[in-house]
Amino acid sequence: MDRLISGLRPYILLSLVCLVVYLPGLSTVPPIDRDEARFVQASRQMLETGDFIDIRFQEEARHRKPVGIYWLQAASVAAFSDPQAQSIWAWRLVSVFGATGAVLATFHLGALLFGRRAAFVGALALAVSLVMAVEAHIAKTDAMLVFLTVVAQAALARTYLSGRVGPETQPADAAQAAPLEEAAPPEEPPPPEEEAADPSAQAARPRRPGHAVTAAVFWVAVGMSVLIKGPIAPMVVGLTALTLSVVEWRWRWLLGLRLAWGPPLALAIAAPWIVAIEIISGGAFLLASIGDDLFAKVAITESFWDLPPGVHLALI
């Protein structure tokens, strides 16, 4: 078992499992979600009209979701098919990529926290789960959203673990966590004359946890996720970071996320289109996306059942 999950083997095996599960029926399974046809038509209209800012379903403005998934579907169709093609597989390729990426990112995250054996079992269970298989066959946002959310969570986990001290707090998967041991430069390096006077001063100075590349991955994933489905992923990773910090009453590890340039990086990814669509729509996009869509789901039960907490977990 250890040999099977060493090196790149688990990533290759999990990718093959995903392809076996997700590719069959990609072009033959009819739309099973009413929104899928709307996503497909809106992406097709982008390619036909050349308007990649304002999302339209026929003559109606479609402002309930951001533009990211439409861009990805349009790019997939432009690369592998034709906007006038009757087969839907090219639109669904984005979901296949998202679902596969989510499985691989789940293995990486699990390896950091629990070791490779547990990570492989968990990622394999996700790969063959009914809900993920269905989402991989639907040209919608959810598979890609899961991928970006897990990537952000994995980067957050690496930053969090790098801020812990002592051998007993090292990640379970030492091989995966090796880059965490690369400490970043001091936040405020001492003057040259001070270093010369005391060569040990720099070594004794507290170092910022985390790695700049990990922080960049985190903020890029957050920025892209906002373009996919608004504030969902930032809410997930934000609550995770807040909970860890409050429970342990330890905040310094958050500096590893490079708060000076990290949030501006995420804004640079998401803000240009949001500003553009707000201008074009006259402020209607945020009102429809945040007010009518997100807050309505948070404040109002959009199902026929009012069930107590824990019921869905028990059913799973």
Side-chain angles (χ1 to χ4, degrees):
M1 179 67 173
D2 291 336
R3 185 175 181 180
L4 184 68
I5 59 176
S6 63
L8 295 178
R9 291 186 183 91
Y11 294 98
I12 296 173
L13 290 173
L14 289 170
S15 297
L16 292 176
V17 169
C18 290
L19 294 179
V20 169
V21 175
Y22 303 152
L23 289 183
L26 202 64
S27 60
T28 57
V29 173
I32 56 178
D33 188 292
R34 61 184 180 182
D35 278 341
E36 182 180 23
R38 295 169 181 165
F39 277 101
V40 169
Q41 178 60 26
S43 300
R44 176 184 282 123
Q45 287 182 216
M46 279 189 171
L47 289 170
E48 292 174 344
T49 63
D51 185 352
F52 294 91
I53 303 298
D54 194 13
I55 308 167
R56 292 276 167 176
F57 174 69
Q58 296 177 354
E59 299 301 323
E60 177 185 355
R62 186 166 171 80
H63 292 156
R64 294 177 69 88
K65 297 292 187 295
V67 76
I69 196 67
Y70 303 99
W71 283 351
L72 292 175
Q73 289 180 1
S76 176
V77 172
F80 302 109
S81 184
D82 183 87
Q84 302 303 323
Q86 296 300 313
S87 180
I88 199 174
W89 66 270
W91 281 268
R92 289 173 169 173
L93 275 182
V94 177
S95 294
V96 172
F97 177 84
T100 304
V103 170
L104 300 181
T106 297
F107 172 77
H108 181 78
L109 174 58
L112 286 173
L113 299 176
F114 309 111
R116 287 198 160 210
R117 287 192 178 188
F120 186 78
V121 173
L124 186 62
L126 177 64
V128 300
S129 64
L130 178 61
V131 64
M132 186 57 77
V134 171
E135 290 299 336
H137 285 82
I138 299 179
K140 287 178 57 182
T141 59
D142 293 329
M144 185 58 65
L145 177 66
V146 173
F147 169 49
L148 294 173
T149 304
V150 179
V151 168
Q153 288 283 69
L156 185 69
R158 295 185 74 89
T159 303
Y160 166 75
L161 292 172
S162 73
R164 306 183 73 175
V165 181
E168 71 280 358
T169 59
Q170 294 299 314
D173 188 356
Q176 289 291 320
L180 299 178
E181 298 174 2
E182 301 175 12
E187 293 180 41
E188 298 178 359
E193 61 273 11
E194 184 178 330
E195 285 189 18
D198 185 4
S200 64
Q202 185 175 354
R205 183 181 296 273
R207 293 178 181 269
R208 182 189 302 175
H211 194 280
V213 174
T214 302
V217 170
F218 175 83
W219 291 110
V220 168
V222 169
M224 292 178 64
S225 71
V226 171
L227 286 179
I228 295 295
K229 207 166 185 176
I232 302 300
M235 290 167 62
V236 172
V237 296
L239 182 58
T240 302
L242 179 64
T243 302
L244 287 171
S245 301
V246 169
V247 168
E248 298 189 355
W249 203 245
R250 187 169 59 86
W251 305 86
R252 183 176 173 78
W253 70 274
L254 292 173
L255 295 176
L257 294 176
R258 305 303 196 267
L259 301 180
W261 53 261
L265 175 60
L267 283 174
I269 295 173
W273 177 81
I274 294 176
V275 172
I277 192 62
E278 278 293 282
I279 295 173
I280 291 174
S281 66
F285 168 74
L286 288 179
L287 183 63
S289 179
I290 304 298
D292 296 342
D293 191 36
L294 177 63
F295 287 164
K297 291 179 179 178
V298 173
I300 303 172
T301 302
E302 288 194 344
S303 65
F304 296 102
W305 298 345
D306 291 321
L307 301 175
V311 171
H312 293 91
L313 179 61
L315 290 175
I316 290 173

